[in-house]
Amino acid sequence: MKNPFLIGERLYLRPLEESDISTCLRWINDPEVTRTLGMYRPMNEPREREWLESRYKDDKEIGLAIVLKENDKHIGNIGLHGLDWKNREAELGIMIGEKDQWDKGYGHEAIELMLGYGFDRLGLHRIYLRVYENNLWAQRCYEKAGFRREGVMRESVFSEGRYWDTILMSLLEREWRELRSKSGKGELV
Ligand SMILES: CC(C)(COP(=O)(O)OP(=O)(O)OC[C@H]1O[C@@H](n2cnc3c(N)ncnc32)[C@H](O)[C@@H]1OP(=O)(O)O)[C@@H](O)C(=O)NCCC(=O)NCCS
């Protein structure tokens, strides 16, 4: 493992590096990967570098690379955004960019690691997210991690020739602890 920050069973999360930029660019410019993410502008290297640097300067942002333990392959990114230290909440975002790694449980494992970090180490009270109504895959992944549906932003996104709803989901710290104690996982040390 290279510079691991959070370690799971099959993958680890590490800080994003400048050398990751070309991989991220390939994902971000692939419409199959971004169609459910609301990204629609082309991205080039200087802008992506700027974005990466701004993440590390901003204490309201945490971005990590999702990496496979078996071969150190970088397969996606995950982050907590807009950290609100007063209300103790943040928004979760995730992208598995390597399409041949979809549907293998890696998204779920990365989310579990990030939730542990958010609730146990950062002391967050609430983690929320936004997901498009047509992204049933991601919704399933979030439900599995314990997120509950809390609202709908009607026809808030235009994509593929029509408007779609955005679903709001959240998980509270106490709900997450209850789920963890039921699954016998206890606290992240
Ligand atoms: C959404 C995403 C994070 C999920 O990660 P993943 O590693 O592919 O997903 P996982 O394997 O952990 O879990 C997928 C679950 O969805 C289920 N699933 C797969 N296709 C599905 C579909 N079309 N409808 C409903 N559920 C589906 C799987 O069966 C699995 O559930 P199970 O474990 O109960 O069988 C990842 O595919 C991704 O990054 N996609 C592109 C970007 C994106 O949409 N990001 C999220 C924006 S909100």
Side-chain angles (χ1 to χ4, degrees), residues 24-156:
C24 294
L25 273 177
R26 179 164 53 79
W27 301 337
I28 291 166
N29 289 316
D30 180 346
E32 255 192 279
V33 175
T34 55
R35 57 179 279 275
T36 48
L37 286 169
M39 291 174 175
Y40 56 93
R41 288 174 67 94
M43 182 66 95
N44 63 10
E45 207 176 305
R47 281 196 68 199
E48 180 66 7
R49 179 165 288 111
E50 236 173 65
W51 174 84
L52 187 66
E53 278 167 10
S54 71
R55 299 294 94 166
Y56 283 93
K57 283 181 190 150
D58 187 344
D59 70 354
K60 295 193 184 80
E61 294 292 325
I62 288 166
L64 291 164
I66 305 171
V67 184
L68 298 184
K69 270 174 149 180
E70 59 175 9
N71 54 11
D72 287 312
K73 188 173 168 58
H74 179 196
I75 62 162
N77 297 332
I78 187 165
L80 288 174
H81 310 292
L83 277 150
D84 176 340
W85 298 111
K86 174 189 166 288
N87 298 313
R88 311 210 68 83
E89 70 165 7
E91 179 169 5
L92 179 86
I94 180 169
M95 166 176 72
I96 305 283
E98 294 297 340
K99 293 179 280 189
D100 60 348
Q101 304 297 338
W102 282 351
D103 211 8
K104 292 184 177 178
Y106 293 134
H108 179 69
E109 190 174 333
I111 290 168
E112 293 250 292
L113 285 173
M114 207 55 168
L115 291 176
Y117 177 66
F119 289 128
D120 262 346
R121 291 221 214 147
L122 300 183
L124 293 179
H125 171 63
R126 190 180 114 93
I127 296 180
Y128 69 97
L129 59 86
R130 288 173 283 181
V131 57
Y132 296 162
E133 65 167 302
N134 56 342
N135 197 354
L136 298 176
W137 190 335
Q139 285 172 46
R140 168 79 196 121
C141 198
Y142 299 140
E143 274 162 12
K144 247 176 23 177
F147 281 88
R148 298 186 190 178
R149 219 176 136 111
E150 67 180 12
V152 174
M153 294 161 71
R154 294 179 307 140
E155 299 190 14
S156 52

